[in-house]
């Protein structure tokens, strides 16, 4: 485990130091949850356009539940593992660019988990309707996830575990939503 943590720190130093102060504001913006509201509205439009009103309600309900679960599990992990964020890790002082810093603990990244949750959830629900969407979503989620390393808030391992958790939760909630939607459509 120590070797894995050491490699994660080395990757953090390398990836974080690819940054340049000229781009800091861009990556801060990318990492800001509220910046993506227009994109979320577009996602809602795609769902509304491709599902009837009752199905749309269930799909939105499962998005809300899934994001809440994703966030809360990340918080449980953060306080369960108590792994310091890179910006709080004394062994990295002077070795990384600390553009922003959050709470003390960072394992695992809720930003990464939530972005990959939405990526997988929307891909499963809309895969046969909007062919280009999965490619866009993977690029979007990866960009959001990397922004956390760039800013000095998460180790690459935090991002990877967050992405895996998001993928698992996105799959689970999408399959559940589709079952509920299918069941509600057969009752009509």
């Amino acid at each position: 485990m120590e070797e894995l943590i050491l490699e994660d720190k080395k990757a953090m130093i390398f990836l974080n130091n690819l940054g340049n102060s000229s781009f800091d504001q861009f990556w801060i913006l990318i990492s800001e949850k509220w910046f993506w509201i227009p994109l979320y509205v577009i996602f809602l439009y795609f769902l509304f356009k491709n599902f009837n009103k009752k199905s749309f309600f269930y799909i939105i309900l499962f998005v809300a539940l899934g994001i809440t679960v994703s966030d809360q599990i990340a918080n449980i992990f953060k306080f369960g593992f108590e792994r310091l964020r890179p910006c709080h890790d004394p062994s990295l002082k002077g070795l990384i660019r600390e553009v922003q810093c959050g709470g003390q603990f960072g394992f695992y990244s809720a930003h990464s988990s939530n972005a990959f949750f939405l990526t997988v959830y929307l891909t499963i629900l809309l895969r046969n309707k909007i062919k280009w969407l999965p490619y866009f979503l993977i690029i979007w989620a990866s960009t959001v996830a990397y922004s956390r390393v760039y800013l000095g808030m998460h180790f690459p391992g935090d991002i990877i575990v967050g992405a895996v958790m998001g993928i698992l939760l996105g799959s689970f909630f999408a399959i559940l939503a589709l079952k509920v939607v299918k069941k509600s459509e057969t009752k009509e």
Side-chain angles (χ1 to χ4, degrees):
M1 186 58 108
E2 286 297 318
E3 183 66 29
L4 190 60
I5 291 171
L6 183 61
E7 290 303 315
D8 202 20
K9 287 184 179 185
K10 287 179 185 175
M12 175 66 195
I13 293 167
F14 173 75
L15 292 171
N16 173 265
N17 280 294
L18 292 174
N20 179 305
S21 59
S22 303
F23 297 103
D24 288 354
Q25 288 305 312
F26 169 78
W27 288 103
I28 289 169
L29 197 60
I30 293 296
S31 197
E32 181 59 51
K33 291 176 188 176
W34 307 115
F35 175 73
W36 296 107
I37 288 175
L39 184 63
Y40 301 149
V41 170
I42 293 168
F43 293 161
L44 286 172
Y45 171 75
F46 288 156
L47 291 169
F48 185 77
K49 186 174 166 78
N50 287 286
F51 291 94
N52 66 41
K53 288 179 184 175
K54 189 174 184 181
S55 297
F56 176 75
F57 169 78
Y58 288 125
I59 288 167
I60 297 307
L61 176 66
F62 282 105
V63 166
L65 287 171
I67 293 291
T68 301
V69 168
S70 175
D71 256 3
Q72 294 312 305
I73 292 175
N75 286 331
I76 290 167
F77 269 66
K78 285 176 184 169
F79 292 102
F81 283 92
E82 295 186 343
R83 183 180 188 196
L84 294 174
R85 289 181 185 269
C87 53
H88 291 297
D89 188 329
S91 70
L92 296 177
K93 287 290 178 212
L95 298 175
I96 64 167
R97 301 175 66 253
E98 295 178 30
V99 180
Q100 275 190 337
C101 195
Q104 191 174 10
F105 306 121
F107 181 77
Y108 60 87
S109 169
H111 273 75
S112 180
S113 182
N114 292 341
F116 279 93
F117 171 91
L118 279 175
T119 295
V120 171
Y121 188 85
L122 292 171
T123 295
I124 290 171
L125 290 172
L126 298 169
R127 67 178 168 242
N128 296 327
K129 297 165 178 25
I130 307 170
K131 300 289 184 195
W132 56 267
L133 188 62
Y135 305 106
F136 171 81
L137 290 169
I138 289 168
I139 292 168
W140 167 73
S142 299
T143 303
V144 169
Y146 174 72
S147 75
R148 309 304 285 168
V149 173
Y150 180 98
L151 297 174
M153 298 181 77
H154 285 287
F155 287 99
D158 302 343
I159 299 304
I160 293 167
V161 172
V164 168
M165 290 299 288
I167 290 166
L168 293 173
L169 290 169
S171 300
F172 173 77
F173 279 94
I175 291 166
L176 199 58
L178 287 174
K179 284 185 180 189
V180 169
V181 164
K182 188 175 182 179
K183 195 170 187 171
S184 75
E185 288 175 353
T186 57
K187 286 183 177 180
E188 291 178 0

